[in-house]
Amino acid sequence: MKILFRRSNAGRSTGGRDLYRLPRHINTCMRPLLLSTALLFVNAAFAEVGVTDREIVLGQSTALTGPLAPVGLEFSGAAKAYFEKINTEGGIHGRSIRLTTVDDAYVADKTAKNVTQLIEQEKVFALFGLLGVANTAVALPIATEARIPLLFPMNGEPTLRKVPNRYMFTLTAGFDDEISKIVDHLLTIGVKRIAVAHFSNPFGNAIKAAAEQALEKKSLKLTASVSFDISGGTTVAAATQLSKVAPDAIIVGAVAAGAADFISAYKKTGVNAQFLTFSGVGTDVLVKKLGPASAGIVVSQVVPYPWAPTNPLVRDYQALMKAGGRQEVSYLGMWGYISARTTVEALKKTGRDLTRERLVTTLEGMRGLDLNRYLLDFSPSNHHGSRFVDITMIGPNGKILK
């Protein structure tokens, strides 16, 4: 049977009835059902891309292979575990969350292709948890043009954060906050001959610039700096070069195996120095790669200590990992968990009538959000939730001390 709808005659009073009238030959008892069906089709036509009655689709490009795989996998694994927990509890207003994760191996060109694919082919509602400075930099204009929220990338590059953008939100403190805390720590204990050893890429350059800025505020300058390729081919040469200067402290602007390899190469020169690095390094990677030689390395952190049993947020994260059969926890996992949890809070607050623009407006209104002792504060002029930085040290047994 073919069903037709016709509009009421122009100027004719509808008496408060629907503007669309069914033909007279359709049985009266069928009319409510047919009208309901029509409304469903109308709603579907105007639904936001990446949102259906059953799910919300998020897209992530991150390093699942390559030198930063340990970082990407730890963050992404914890985030997915939390999304899955929410799904088992009924989802967000009846919708489950589906996180589609694709590998970019920490290569910016691959990130750009992945993000384009996620938007155009996978039809994601928002992007989540990208990894890397250059990677976020190439993804941001693509997301902005498509007016798609880019939520909580692992990127603390200050310049990128300072450019106002309606669609990008970050969760944690930036590189400038972390390095400033590290410099303050060194000056407090009387260390002033400070060098930087960093990857020769946009991320490493950002760490060096943050160190120069922090020292300049104290009327000081870097004693020296060296860069080395992420592939490791120039690591030994850079370590040898810096050992000739013999700084008292070295801030390492590298991550995962790259950071561990530089520290190992420098230690082999026989010249002593205090090593310091930042949150994204992957502390567990340092411990596994360096063993006892990791003792004494100082690491700044941007999320709470994940072994604190008195912190309710930490207990929730630990319980999530245990439920998934994982006894080990980590700072990177904590970071992924908090990022996912904040995303869920924003989606819940936005409501059932979910659109990208409404989500952005919701995030901008999330002021003073307390995730059990981890405070986040967003506003229309501030899309960066926290400036929390903690200083930790790797102990002689590989345990993180604070």
Side-chain angles (χ1 to χ4, degrees):
M1 178 177 66
K2 188 175 182 180
I3 300 174
L4 300 174
F5 295 88
R6 56 190 173 89
R7 190 178 295 276
S8 300
N9 293 333
R12 179 178 176 181
S13 172
T14 62
R17 294 173 299 182
D18 294 329
L19 293 177
Y20 289 90
R21 302 177 62 196
L22 292 167
R24 294 175 182 272
H25 68 272
I26 294 179
N27 191 297
T28 303
C29 66
M30 292 179 61
R31 293 183 180 186
L33 175 61
L34 293 171
L35 285 171
S36 297
T37 303
L39 288 174
L40 285 175
F41 282 119
V42 171
N43 288 336
F46 291 98
E48 184 70 278
V49 173
V51 179
T52 70
D53 283 342
R54 294 185 177 183
E55 68 176 7
I56 302 164
V57 185
L58 304 179
Q60 180 186 34
S61 178
T62 191
L64 304 180
T65 60
L68 266 70
V71 177
L73 289 167
E74 194 72 21
F75 178 99
S76 181
K80 283 190 173 183
Y82 186 73
F83 289 144
E84 289 168 3
K85 174 181 180 291
I86 294 300
N87 291 344
T88 61
E89 295 173 351
I92 309 294
H93 302 294
R95 297 184 177 110
S96 62
I97 299 174
R98 174 160 61 89
L99 178 62
T100 299
T101 301
V102 288
D103 180 26
D104 58 31
Y106 191 58
V107 176
D109 287 345
K110 290 184 179 180
T111 305
K113 292 178 182 178
N114 287 348
V115 167
T116 300
Q117 176 186 328
L118 288 167
I119 294 172
E120 296 181 355
Q121 298 179 28
E122 300 297 331
K123 307 295 184 183
V124 299
F125 171 70
L127 298 167
F128 169 84
L130 274 64
L131 170 62
V133 172
N135 311 72
T136 305
V138 298
L140 186 56
I142 300 171
T144 302
E145 183 177 358
R147 297 183 179 181
I148 290 179
L150 197 164
L151 305 177
F152 315 134
M154 296 185 73
N155 172 23
E157 208 283 320
T159 304
L160 193 61
R161 288 167 169 240
K162 288 177 182 177
V163 178
N165 188 294
R166 174 168 171 77
Y167 297 99
M168 186 177 84
F169 292 82
T170 62
L171 184 77
T172 59
F175 294 154
D176 49 349
D177 297 310
E178 290 193 69
I179 301 303
S180 179
K181 188 87 169 184
I182 286 173
V183 168
D184 285 346
H185 168 74
L186 288 171
L187 296 181
T188 298
I189 61 176
V191 176
K192 294 184 179 180
R193 298 188 70 254
I194 303 168
V196 173
H198 62 94
F199 278 156
S200 54
N201 66 2
F203 152 70
N205 295 334
I207 294 292
K208 177 187 175 184
E212 289 174 331
Q213 183 180 29
L215 286 166
E216 185 178 353
K217 290 179 179 179
K218 307 293 184 180
S219 300
L220 297 171
K221 292 184 179 181
L222 280 177
T223 299
S225 68
V226 294
S227 63
F228 51 98
D229 192 82
I230 192 171
S231 67
T234 58
T235 301
V236 173
T240 302
Q241 178 185 342
L242 190 56
S243 69
K244 295 176 182 178
V245 181
D248 295 324
I250 303 172
I251 299 172
V252 181
V255 295
D261 289 345
F262 176 83
I263 293 171
S264 177
Y266 192 90
K267 284 179 175 289
K268 288 177 181 177
T269 67
V271 180
N272 294 324
Q274 170 69 65
F275 292 98
L276 308 97
T277 189
F278 77 115
S279 57
V281 69
T283 315
D284 54 335
V285 178
L286 293 183
V287 173
K288 291 175 182 177
K289 285 277 291 183
L290 295 173
S294 65
I297 298 174
V298 172
V299 186
S300 60
Q301 308 289 357
V302 294
V303 294
Y305 187 70
W307 298 276
T310 58
N311 186 321
L313 181 66
V314 171
R315 287 202 302 270
D316 290 344
Y317 163 60
Q318 291 177 340
L320 177 70
M321 294 295 98
K322 186 175 182 180
R326 295 180 56 185
Q327 298 299 323
E328 293 185 4
V329 298
S330 69
Y331 272 105
L332 292 172
M334 189 77 185
W335 195 341
Y337 166 73
I338 295 176
S339 297
R341 183 162 170 171
T342 306
T343 301
V344 167
E345 289 291 330
L347 291 170
K348 285 181 178 178
K349 288 178 181 291
T350 303
R352 177 71 183 173
D353 191 7
L354 181 62
T355 68
R356 291 163 177 161
E357 295 299 329
R358 287 192 178 100
L359 176 63
V360 169
T361 300
T362 296
L363 280 162
E364 290 183 334
M366 288 172 58
R367 302 183 181 184
L369 177 66
D370 186 357
L371 297 180
N372 287 331
R373 301 185 192 176
Y374 189 75
L375 298 176
L376 296 170
D377 196 74
F378 298 99
S379 73
S381 60
N382 173 42
H383 283 199
H384 313 296
S386 173
R387 298 190 68 180
F388 168 85
V389 180
D390 197 12
I391 294 292
T392 66
M393 178 181 287
I394 301 175
N397 58 355
K399 184 178 180 180
I400 311 301
L401 309 174
K402 69 181 295 291

